[in-house]
Amino acid sequence: MPWDVPAPPGARWSEYRGPRHLQTLAPRAARAHGSPPLQVAPRRAVGWGRGGGAERETGWAGRAALATLATCMPFTASLLSRLLVLPVAAFGLAPPAGLPTSRPAQPPHLLSAGTVPVPVFHLSWARALPDAGHPVALSSPNLAQLPGGPSVVVGDRAGHVYALSLSDGRGQPGWPASTGGVPVDSSPSVAVLAGQRYDTVFVGVGNAATPGEGGYEAFSPDGAERWYTPVHNPPTDPARGATSAVPASLAVGELQGHLAVVAPSAGQELYALDAATGRPLTGFPWFTSDSGFSTPAIVDLYGTGTNEVVVGGDQTPGLAYGVHYSRGGHLRVVGATGMAGTGSPAGGLRCQYSPDQVVQSSPAVGPFLGGGRLGIVVGTGRFWPGAAATDELFALTAHCQLAWSVHLDGLTGSSPALVDLGLGGLSVVEGTDNAHGGGSVYALDGRNGAVAWHTPLPGEVIGSVVSVGTPAGYQDVVAPTTGGAFVLDGRTGRLVATIEHYVGLQSAPLVTSQPGGAGLTLAGYNSSDAGEVLHYSLSGWTAGGPGSWPQFHHDPSLSGYSATAG
């Protein structure tokens, strides 16, 4: 049940589904509505870290009047539509009782499947993290190839990026890396740089609770910082500060002949950076006009041999650089050269679709539309009250034209997956969050949005669903929820297995290949409000292959792109 806590002026409250956290919703102009300013320090400031977390989290956030140009009206934005985190203990409230406090000696059991052969799974290892009070939240695990072997990399809100051996969960030498205590809600992306043997790890640093801290950061295979790039908002922004948070994950792909990382920020800029140096590419940063929490997809949408950037964003009404913006959000396609040669900070926009709600989901791109045409599918957020696009899922053509939309039973901020469920072509699979402790998973016909099946679950689906292969050649769905992880039959949506219910999950699982089957890594928080990473071995299931979606945003580069039609 939601907690009943009075909202301050200019803000409203909503339950955050961690064991001891609440979040606030407040517009970037919260200061103008009477909220005290949030006192934050630059990312590198001495004294900020775990010891400064309570001060940082209990301040009221606000980011006032952003793009006030010479002849323009003040421009405000919905920075905190991704909520602020506040300790429940500050209000004298007990943590919700949804998570058991101890794990039995035996692994969880599969549900009865009648005469259908059921794969076998068991817990291979579990690692508790030393981050009580600031656990893993929205950061999804990824697989990195490091000097110590294949490793799970994931971030937490204490400002750590962990690297744990995939085989036994032990920490890799030189890790965890540190952001100086600034939260990591983004999911790490990885890539091997030119001349290197192992992966470099990229993260967005900072979240809505730290709007003036963070940036873009890369860590070398040994855990040492390779580079850090702050966010520089427009000079006309009166609240620009030294930097802005980057809660979105950094997608990796080729742009302008460089291996690049791309993500929006909690300010007003989207950066494309050289992955080796962290320097902005020509034409970037690109003016987004509001905050962005959406991890971009990087894909050649038009068959030209050049990638585009596909990304969602928030939008508050106002005027900036001569453009009138309406309340809502955007799904945008930005060219590889950004604004270069256009004379406009937001030039180079190929197309956009603008619903009346923020777009905080991360888009998935693939040939799921009729005739195998390339399409974009994305969900929305819940910031603007009364918006028609709330709880909607949109499928668009490569030119941002609406192909279909469907209204689901809860928030669609969880990023969709494109999966071969054995139903013909790629299905769109989406998890929902009803904000009252429950959620669902939907499987939709990619051609027209028709519902193939719908399965309610005992937990909110905040992290993205992923898939794992079956002996029959189609994919099952793995659904992470605030009440644990569940496997659903891809063809019917029937509950096949309860994998885990001792850890709350707001991030996507990671499916990896291993001898005799697949591995499933989960990262979340336990009843002690500490991060926990678990790895299960799945015998009888398989990892990868055509029509699979094995992790957040599809692959270790977080490209968001599935090239197969199933």
Side-chain angles (χ1 to χ4, degrees):
M1 298 295 292
W3 288 303
D4 185 12
V5 181
R12 55 192 176 93
W13 291 92
S14 174
E15 183 181 356
Y16 166 67
R17 302 295 172 172
R20 298 189 182 185
H21 293 289
L22 290 177
Q23 294 181 323
T24 62
L25 281 172
R28 293 177 75 164
R31 294 176 184 171
H33 291 81
S35 299
L38 177 67
Q39 299 300 320
V40 297
R43 179 186 171 281
R44 300 297 183 185
V46 176
W48 284 84
R50 293 185 61 178
E55 180 183 86
R56 189 168 59 246
E57 290 186 5
T58 55
W60 296 114
R63 195 177 156 74
L66 292 187
T68 310
L69 305 179
T71 57
C72 298
M73 60 181 286
F75 189 93
T76 61
S78 55
L79 170 64
L80 296 186
S81 50
R82 280 291 179 97
L83 316 170
L84 273 180
V85 183
L86 294 176
V88 175
F91 301 99
L93 300 175
L99 294 176
T101 58
S102 62
R103 185 185 308 280
Q106 297 298 318
H109 298 289
L110 289 171
L111 299 180
S112 171
T115 60
V116 179
V118 176
V120 177
F121 66 93
H122 69 273
L123 180 64
S124 297
W125 55 262
R127 172 75 183 274
L129 304 179
D131 58 6
H134 304 281
V136 175
L138 302 176
S139 183
S140 298
N142 201 347
L143 179 65
Q145 302 299 327
L146 299 179
S151 303
V152 175
V153 288
V154 68
D156 70 8
R157 287 185 164 173
H160 302 127
V161 180
Y162 290 90
L164 308 176
S165 170
L166 185 64
S167 63
D168 58 17
R170 294 183 182 180
Q172 294 288 20
W175 299 82
S178 175
T179 66
V182 185
V184 179
D185 266 353
S186 68
S187 301
S189 55
V190 303
V192 178
L193 301 180
Q196 302 292 313
R197 294 181 56 192
Y198 301 107
D199 281 323
T200 295
V201 179
F202 307 95
V203 291
V205 181
N207 61 16
T210 62
E213 297 180 87
Y216 304 85
E217 193 155 11
F219 295 100
S220 296
D222 61 359
E225 183 186 84
R226 182 181 178 93
W227 52 256
Y228 163 73
T229 301
V231 178
H232 295 295
N233 287 299
T236 49
D237 177 359
R240 64 190 303 248
T243 186
S244 287
V246 179
S249 305
L250 279 58
V252 184
E254 184 177 322
L255 295 175
Q256 303 178 25
H258 298 265
L259 187 66
V261 294
V262 186
S265 70
Q268 296 187 88
E269 302 284 8
L270 177 146
Y271 276 73
L273 306 169
D274 186 302
T277 66
R279 297 190 184 98
L281 299 186
T282 301
F284 292 91
W286 191 86
F287 181 69
T288 58
S289 69
D290 207 331
S291 306
F293 297 87
S294 170
T295 299
I298 301 179
V299 58
D300 179 5
L301 279 178
Y302 308 119
T304 62
T306 300
N307 285 331
E308 282 77 35
V309 177
V310 184
V311 65
D314 299 358
Q315 190 58 66
T316 296
L319 174 69
Y321 294 115
V323 177
H324 290 272
Y325 293 93
S326 300
R327 190 184 87 166
H330 305 282
L331 186 285
R332 287 165 163 151
V333 176
V334 180
T337 56
M339 66 173 182
T342 68
S344 168
L349 180 67
R350 300 289 184 257
C351 66
Q352 68 179 350
Y353 181 78
S354 300
D356 64 352
Q357 185 56 276
V358 294
V359 178
Q360 296 182 344
S361 167
S362 300
V365 182
F368 64 87
L369 295 177
R373 291 178 298 134
L374 205 61
I376 303 164
V377 61
V378 70
T380 59
R382 196 180 276 149
F383 181 75
W384 296 113
T390 305
D391 300 343
E392 292 278 318
L393 191 70
F394 296 97
L396 309 172
T397 70
H399 297 280
C400 302
Q401 297 170 323
L402 183 65
W404 53 260
S405 65
V406 60
H407 188 85
L408 304 183
D409 68 355
L411 177 67
T412 55
S414 152
S415 300
L418 302 176
V419 185
D420 179 2
L421 300 177
L423 304 175
L426 287 176
S427 298
V428 175
V429 187
E430 172 71 3
T432 64
D433 165 12
N434 67 15
H436 298 292
S440 297
V441 175
Y442 286 81
L444 308 170
D445 188 324
R447 296 166 296 184
N448 53 31
V451 177
W453 52 259
H454 162 222
T455 302
L457 292 172
E460 297 165 327
V461 185
I462 297 172
S464 303
V465 299
V466 300
S467 76
V468 61
T470 68
Y474 65 89
Q475 300 280 314
D476 280 344
V477 175
V478 184
T481 79
T482 52
F486 305 90
V487 180
L488 309 178
D489 183 88
R491 291 177 298 187
T492 66
R494 178 180 59 87
L495 183 61
V496 174
T498 300
I499 297 286
E500 170 63 41
H501 60 275
Y502 296 90
V503 169
L505 303 168
Q506 299 184 30
S507 61
L510 169 67
V511 177
T512 52
S513 181
Q514 64 185 43
L520 180 70
T521 305
L522 308 173
Y525 49 85
N526 58 29
S527 60
S528 298
D529 196 15
E532 191 165 344
V533 182
L534 309 98
H535 182 80
Y536 284 88
S537 294
L538 311 178
S539 299
W541 278 297
T542 58
S548 66
W549 196 274
Q551 65 177 95
F552 172 69
H553 234 217
H554 185 266
D555 51 64
S557 298
L558 308 187
S559 72
Y561 174 57
S562 175
T564 178

